[in-house]
Amino acid sequence: MGAKKVKISSVKRAAHLKSKKTPLSKQQQQKQKQKRDQLKSKREQGQNIFSQKARKRDNLAQRKKHNKLASLGLDPLEEDNEDGDDELLDNVADMLDGDDLALLQANKRKRKTKATGEEDPDQGQSIGLERAYASDTKKEQDAQKIKLDLLPIKSRDGQIITRTTEVDYIPKPKQKKKNEEEEEDDDSEEDGDTEYEDSDDDVVNDVEAASAAPVQKLISTTDLLIARQQEIERQKYRIGIICSGLLEKPEDKMRNFHALYELMDEINPASRQANLMAVRKLAIISVTEIFKDILPEYRVGQVDTKMQTLRKATLDRVTFENALLQQFKKFLQKLEQITAQVNRRGGLRTPQTVKLATVAVQCMCDLLVAHPYFNYVQNIAQLLVYMLNCNYAEMRTAVNQCFRTVFSNDKRFEMTLFIVRRINHLIKTKQNNVHVECITCLMGLKIKNVNLDAEKENELKQKKLESHRQRLLSLSKKERKRRKKLTEVNRELEETRAEENKQAKHQKLTEIIKMVFTIYFRVLKNDPTSRVLSAILEGLAEFAHVINLDFFSDLIDVLNRILEDQDELGYRERLHCVQTIFVILSGQGEVLNIDPIRFYQHFYRNMLAVQAGKNHDDFAIILRTLDEVLVKRRRNMSQQRLMAFMKRLLTGSLHLLHNGTLATLGTIKQTFQLTSVLDNLLDTDTTIGSGRYDPELDDPEYCNAASTALYELALLARHYHPTVRRMAVHIAHGVPASGEGALPTEIGKLTSHELFTQFDSTQMAFNPTIPLPKAGQPKLKRGKHLYIRSDFKKEYGKLLQQGKVSQTKDKQTVQIDFFSALQ
């Protein structure tokens, strides 16, 4: 029996072909199986967050639809049933064709018209009543008015008249419920990946300030101050959170630097509001402390990660260092902008900007001291050199102290050489018209045992080596081979001893000294009346022991011309000139044929300029000069000159504090121990010398000091300080090593400089310690009776003899009835 053919319509055939599936290959079947397994594992681990959001959004839309139908008085369940019926009819329509499909669609249209046309009459009436009530209520609110009290007025008769007025009623907007707000927030969420942020991101981004709406109302000054303090405390907390996160893990928190940079600006770019001055200072100091902690001690190199293949750990480290370098550069640029406001022409110089620039300069000084070898540190040093000549003393003092610290801690002398070169360029550009701090900061250089004649010595050494080389060429082959091995061994020994490093450091130190003396000599030659002359002379006195021998004679002539020609020169500058000259003459300058008698006169004339007042600290200059004059050059001095210096020195000790007096007595004691010529000054017989002592004569050679004695020792023996009394008695006894008048060992071994510093009482510490008074009962002395009338004494005596005295109950007081006795 054959198969029966059935005719199928074109619509059914198209639907059949559409639903027909092509057979899959084995690879496609395996891929589908893997996808199904992955979806199954994801469902087991947790539902997809996107499906959750979509389901939540569908539920919210469906809930809103049901609420809307319920407000209109319709049954949402019936609506759902109708929707379900419509869906069922649509599914059935897919399986029909021709006349059956047309009939089904006509029935569907009839059902819709029937549903919309049939309404409950009671339900329509209720809806109309609600609408009418709502319109009437709105009209009443529009017509409603309220009374407001106005300010009272006072009439001419003195009566107070109250006033009122009517205004339209404006109802307050109803607040939405929290549930509705949450639903709207959930509805407004956008599809996308969920970002999991840190717990302190809201603090870093300052969400609280962004969400706070400005309140338009009248506020008092107290409210402003309270709001300011609250804002400062809030920003303090925020800065603390940001900094703690950076210090905890700086590799992942580099973006937090931007929040701190925003607080450093005058206007916060995020909130478009002005930052408080206290907040800006806190932000600058906080970023400085962070960089002091996280910056490495070495110099970071630039590595191109695109051209080189690096391991993961190395790549992470290089990426972090590059990001750190960029942030450090940005921070320095901001500090430069802050300082430029007060240092450049046309800048905004207000008290606030000056204080902020002072904080910025101090932060740069701290960074330079903490990391002197990091990147961009030379830029910091160059900016600080220009700030060394600014018009604000506080900034100059901070930079001066910073450079002194860098000079004392620098072991490589690289940064020291760079700073000295920049200072030289600044002084040369300004034509010596700079502040004193540009010169005094050079006093912090640690310069010892530097020979500026080393280049000549090296040339002589090279000549000797060349002659030695010629001799080696004439040796035999075997001897040359042996010499070669010895040379290699010596080179290896020098490398192990770091001889090359020492030579490089010594060369840098020599360049530094040359640059310093270039600055000093330029000022002395071109502008001897400059305001930095005092600092120049002080520096020359400090570094005179390393001056090249070729400059000695010219330098002494220049200093002598300054002492002779400039009458307005102060005592301090004169003392520095004399100190420099005697330091030169006591060292390598002994070979020079120079008579220093004129400099003795200048020093003798200015010895009494220091007294127990504001300039007492300058006595240290006199002490250093006395060491050169009385100790090192004592053999080049005549007896008359030496005695004159001793007499004037002891006379000046009466005008000093106790530490200056002790330093003076220490110098005299040392001189007495080195020579026996001064014993004549302890003899009170004035017939020994020739002539009469003239203390007002400025020439120590002809003042006849041998005709006097050291009478000041008798005054110092009654000094308030016990050590001064003991030292004066010791010198008066002829400086004995033991026996009567000898000093204890702990005092006798101290030099004059040590006595000046150890017994200094400027810090309110007396040496030795003053003992406390002994505790005890004070002794009461019996007093004497004084009588205004002489005859009353006799009457009083008679009363006591007659016994008209009555004792009280306590038997400690005596009562006398004078009135009855006189009657």
Side-chain angles (χ1 to χ4, degrees):
M1 191 173 172
K4 187 178 179 180
K5 294 184 179 179
V6 181
K7 188 176 180 180
I8 303 174
S9 64
S10 60
V11 177
K12 288 184 178 181
R13 182 175 179 81
H16 173 71
L17 293 175
K18 187 176 181 181
S19 62
K20 188 177 180 181
K21 297 181 180 179
T22 57
L24 301 176
S25 62
K26 291 184 178 181
Q27 293 180 356
Q28 293 177 348
Q29 292 176 3
Q30 289 178 359
K31 288 183 179 180
Q32 286 188 356
K33 187 177 179 181
Q34 290 177 359
K35 290 181 179 179
R36 287 195 297 269
D37 294 340
Q38 290 178 359
L39 291 173
K40 187 176 180 181
S41 62
K42 287 183 179 179
R43 291 192 190 98
E44 291 176 355
Q45 294 176 1
Q47 295 181 349
N48 194 357
I49 189 169
F50 303 110
S51 62
Q52 290 180 3
K53 288 184 178 181
R55 196 178 299 110
K56 194 172 184 180
R57 189 163 53 250
D58 294 340
N59 293 338
L60 182 63
Q62 189 175 2
R63 191 160 56 250
K64 287 185 176 181
K65 183 179 180 181
H66 286 193
N67 293 336
K68 185 176 181 182
L69 292 173
S71 63
L72 295 174
L74 301 177
D75 190 2
L77 297 177
E78 293 181 358
E79 190 72 19
D80 292 342
N81 293 335
E82 292 178 1
D83 293 341
D85 295 340
D86 292 341
E87 291 178 1
L88 182 61
L89 291 175
D90 293 337
N91 294 333
V92 172
D94 294 337
M95 295 183 293
L96 299 179
D97 61 344
D99 299 335
D100 298 333
L101 182 60
L103 180 62
L104 184 62
Q105 290 177 354
N107 291 333
K108 185 177 178 182
R109 285 194 295 270
K110 288 180 181 180
R111 289 185 62 189
K112 285 186 177 181
T113 56
K114 184 178 181 180
T116 55
E118 296 177 356
E119 290 183 357
D120 191 2
D122 297 335
Q123 184 178 359
Q125 186 177 1
S126 63
I127 293 174
L129 291 174
E130 289 178 0
R131 290 177 179 175
Y133 176 76
S135 61
D136 294 341
T137 305
K138 188 175 181 182
K139 291 179 181 179
E140 289 179 1
Q141 289 180 356
D142 294 340
Q144 185 178 1
K145 293 187 177 182
I146 59 174
K147 290 185 177 181
L148 291 179
D149 294 331
L150 299 179
L151 291 174
I153 60 175
K154 190 174 183 180
S155 64
R156 295 181 179 179
D157 301 336
Q159 295 180 356
I160 303 298
I161 303 173
T162 59
R163 300 183 302 162
T164 59
T165 185
E166 291 184 354
V167 296
D168 296 335
Y169 172 73
I170 301 175
K172 295 182 179 180
K174 296 181 179 180
Q175 295 181 354
K176 295 183 178 180
K177 296 182 179 180
K178 294 183 179 180
N179 296 333
E180 296 180 1
E181 292 179 358
E182 293 177 358
E183 291 175 359
E184 291 181 1
D185 294 339
D186 294 339
D187 190 20
S188 62
E189 289 181 355
E190 297 180 357
D191 295 336
D193 297 338
T194 305
E195 295 183 0
Y196 298 96
E197 298 180 350
D198 296 337
S199 59
D200 58 346
D201 278 351
D202 55 345
V203 180
V204 174
N205 299 326
D206 204 7
V207 178
E208 182 179 351
S211 61
V215 181
Q216 299 293 336
K217 64 176 184 178
L218 295 176
I219 55 177
S220 62
T221 306
T222 306
D223 296 335
L224 282 174
L225 293 175
I226 293 173
R228 179 183 180 276
Q229 188 63 31
Q230 290 176 352
E231 177 67 15
I232 290 175
E233 294 297 329
R234 189 179 69 83
Q235 294 293 356
K236 277 184 182 179
Y237 173 76
R238 184 181 172 217
I239 291 172
I241 294 295
I242 296 172
C243 295
S244 61
L246 278 166
L247 293 176
E248 181 181 356
K249 200 168 184 182
E251 293 86 357
D252 300 337
K253 299 294 182 70
M254 277 293 162
R255 56 190 175 86
N256 289 5
F257 274 111
H258 298 289
L260 294 174
Y261 294 155
E262 290 175 354
L263 295 177
M264 291 171 54
D265 296 332
E266 185 176 0
I267 303 297
N268 195 332
S271 62
R272 304 295 178 87
Q273 295 179 359
N275 290 319
L276 296 175
M277 185 61 63
V279 176
R280 297 178 69 184
K281 291 179 183 179
L282 283 173
I284 293 173
I285 296 172
S286 301
V287 177
T288 304
E289 294 298 325
I290 290 173
F291 279 124
K292 285 170 64 177
D293 288 340
I294 67 176
L295 286 181
E297 297 294 334
Y298 53 87
R299 186 180 182 85
V300 175
Q302 296 291 338
V303 179
D304 192 359
T305 57
K306 295 181 180 179
M307 301 298 295
Q308 299 181 9
T309 56
L310 303 173
R311 290 184 298 178
K312 184 178 180 181
T314 308
L315 182 61
D316 293 342
R317 187 65 186 174
V318 169
T319 306
F320 166 68
E321 289 177 350
N322 291 337
L324 183 63
L325 203 59
Q326 292 297 325
Q327 297 295 339
F328 186 61
K329 179 181 178 181
K330 189 174 181 181
F331 177 62
L332 294 181
Q333 289 174 349
K334 288 188 173 294
L335 292 183
E336 185 180 4
Q337 292 173 2
I338 293 172
T339 56
Q341 294 181 356
V342 299
N343 199 27
R344 291 180 182 175
R345 292 183 179 178
L348 184 62
R349 293 182 176 89
T350 61
Q352 289 77 15
T353 55
V354 171
K355 291 179 181 179
L356 192 65
T358 304
V359 174
V361 169
Q362 185 62 51
C363 291
M364 285 191 285
C365 293
D366 295 341
L367 288 172
L368 180 61
V369 172
H371 300 280
Y373 307 117
F374 192 66
N375 303 60
Y376 303 119
V377 177
Q378 290 189 353
N379 302 75
I380 299 177
Q382 184 172 355
L383 180 60
L384 290 178
V385 167
Y386 288 109
M387 297 306 297
L388 196 61
N389 193 36
C390 67
N391 296 326
Y392 305 99
E394 190 174 355
M395 297 184 196
R396 297 198 303 269
T397 305
V399 177
N400 186 6
Q401 188 61 36
C402 170
F403 284 167
R404 285 174 179 264
T405 307
V406 171
F407 293 158
S408 60
N409 298 334
D410 192 9
K411 305 298 180 183
R412 305 180 187 175
F413 298 107
E414 295 177 359
M415 184 54 61
T416 303
L417 181 60
F418 178 79
I419 292 174
V420 173
R421 282 176 176 171
R422 298 312 304 174
I423 291 175
N424 179 34
H425 178 72
L426 175 66
I427 297 173
K428 188 176 181 180
T429 305
K430 298 292 183 179
Q431 296 180 356
N432 306 326
N433 187 19
V434 294
H435 288 278
V436 183
E437 286 79 5
C438 296
I439 306 297
T440 55
C441 67
L442 300 175
M443 297 289 293
L445 293 169
K446 301 299 180 182
I447 300 172
K448 294 180 180 179
N449 301 326
V450 179
N451 187 11
L452 295 181
D453 298 327
E455 295 181 359
K456 295 182 179 179
E457 295 178 358
N458 289 332
E459 291 179 0
L460 295 175
K461 189 175 181 181
Q462 286 181 359
K463 291 181 180 179
K464 292 180 180 179
L465 291 174
E466 187 66 27
S467 61
H468 182 65
R469 179 173 174 274
Q470 295 295 332
R471 272 187 270 116
L472 288 177
L473 291 175
S474 62
L475 296 175
S476 62
K477 186 177 180 181
K478 191 174 183 180
E479 290 177 347
R480 284 200 301 269
K481 195 172 183 180
R482 180 172 171 271
R483 292 271 184 176
K484 186 177 181 181
K485 290 182 179 180
L486 284 175
T487 306
E488 292 177 357
V489 172
N490 291 332
R491 189 183 299 112
E492 292 177 359
L493 285 174
E494 288 180 356
E495 290 177 358
T496 56
R497 295 172 186 169
E499 291 293 334
E500 294 181 359
N501 190 16
K502 288 182 180 179
Q503 291 178 0
K505 289 172 63 176
H506 190 78
Q507 185 177 1
K508 292 177 183 176
L509 196 58
T510 305
E511 292 182 7
I512 292 170
I513 289 295
K514 287 182 179 179
M515 201 68 65
V516 170
F517 285 127
T518 301
I519 296 171
Y520 289 167
F521 294 158
R522 186 193 303 119
V523 175
L524 289 176
K525 181 180 179 181
N526 300 333
D527 194 3
T529 60
S530 175
R531 58 179 175 178
V532 298
L533 180 63
S534 176
I536 293 290
L537 296 174
E538 186 177 358
L540 283 174
E542 183 71 20
F543 305 129
H545 60 284
V546 294
I547 298 178
N548 198 339
L549 188 62
D550 298 338
F551 300 112
F552 279 0
S553 58
D554 297 335
L555 180 60
I556 290 175
D557 292 339
V558 171
L559 294 177
N560 182 49
R561 196 182 311 117
I562 291 174
L563 289 171
E564 296 291 341
D565 298 342
Q566 297 187 18
D567 298 333
E568 67 277 3
L569 203 65
Y571 75 94
R572 202 168 185 271
E573 289 79 9
R574 294 180 183 275
L575 289 176
H576 281 310
C577 285
V578 175
Q579 181 187 356
T580 305
I581 291 169
F582 280 112
V583 169
I584 292 173
L585 296 178
S586 299
Q588 301 178 5
E590 292 180 350
V591 298
L592 298 177
N593 188 15
I594 297 175
D595 186 12
I597 186 171
R598 48 189 173 177
F599 305 116
Y600 283 127
Q601 295 176 2
H602 288 297
F603 182 50
Y604 187 78
R605 188 184 303 121
N606 292 281
M607 282 179 65
L608 298 178
V610 180
Q611 31 80 20
K614 293 183 178 180
N615 61 352
H616 187 265
D617 292 337
D618 294 336
F619 189 70
I621 306 173
I622 297 177
L623 285 179
R624 288 193 292 266
T625 310
L626 287 172
D627 287 342
E628 304 293 336
V629 174
L630 302 180
V631 179
K632 296 181 180 180
R633 294 182 58 85
R634 66 183 184 278
R635 296 178 181 176
N636 300 330
M637 292 179 66
S638 62
Q639 295 183 6
Q640 294 291 334
R641 188 178 296 144
L642 187 60
M643 291 181 182
F645 272 105
M646 287 293 103
K647 180 64 178 177
R648 175 153 290 197
L649 184 61
L650 198 58
T651 303
S653 66
L654 300 176
H655 309 149
L656 303 174
L657 297 177
H658 59 268
N659 61 328
T661 304
L662 280 173
T664 303
L665 295 176
T667 304
I668 294 173
K669 176 180 72 70
Q670 186 179 7
T671 312
F672 265 86
Q673 291 173 347
L674 293 175
T675 180
S676 60
V677 177
L678 302 176
D679 293 339
N680 296 331
L681 294 176
L682 299 177
D683 191 357
T684 57
D685 187 6
T686 59
T687 60
I688 299 176
S690 59
R692 186 178 179 182
Y693 173 64
D694 187 4
E696 297 180 356
L697 190 65
D698 292 336
D699 193 350
E701 189 71 31
Y702 303 104
C703 66
N704 298 324
S707 301
T708 184
L710 301 179
Y711 297 107
E712 294 83 1
L713 292 175
L715 298 175
L716 294 176
R718 303 182 63 185
H719 199 269
Y720 67 88
H721 199 281
T723 310
V724 175
R725 295 197 299 266
R726 187 174 295 180
M727 187 82 75
V729 173
H730 174 68
I731 296 175
H733 281 78
V735 197
S738 60
E740 185 180 1
L743 287 176
T745 309
E746 62 271 8
I747 299 177
K749 66 180 181 181
L750 296 177
T751 63
S752 59
H753 298 281
E754 293 172 348
L755 289 169
F756 186 74
T757 55
Q758 289 187 15
F759 289 89
D760 187 9
S761 60
T762 55
Q763 302 298 326
M764 304 305 293
F766 196 80
N767 187 13
T769 307
I770 301 174
L772 297 174
K774 296 181 180 179
Q777 295 292 335
K779 295 181 180 180
L780 298 177
K781 297 182 179 180
R782 293 185 62 183
K784 296 181 180 181
H785 296 286
L786 299 176
Y787 303 97
I788 299 175
R789 292 171 56 187
S790 60
D791 56 346
F792 181 74
K793 183 176 181 181
K794 299 177 181 179
E795 297 291 338
Y796 177 66
K798 291 179 181 180
L799 291 174
L800 292 178
Q801 291 176 3
Q802 292 175 5
K804 292 184 179 182
V805 178
S806 61
Q807 293 184 353
T808 58
K809 294 181 180 180
D810 55 1
K811 297 181 181 181
Q812 292 182 356
T813 60
V814 180
Q815 295 180 356
I816 303 175
D817 191 0
F818 290 103
F819 183 73
S820 60
L822 291 174
Q823 287 181 351

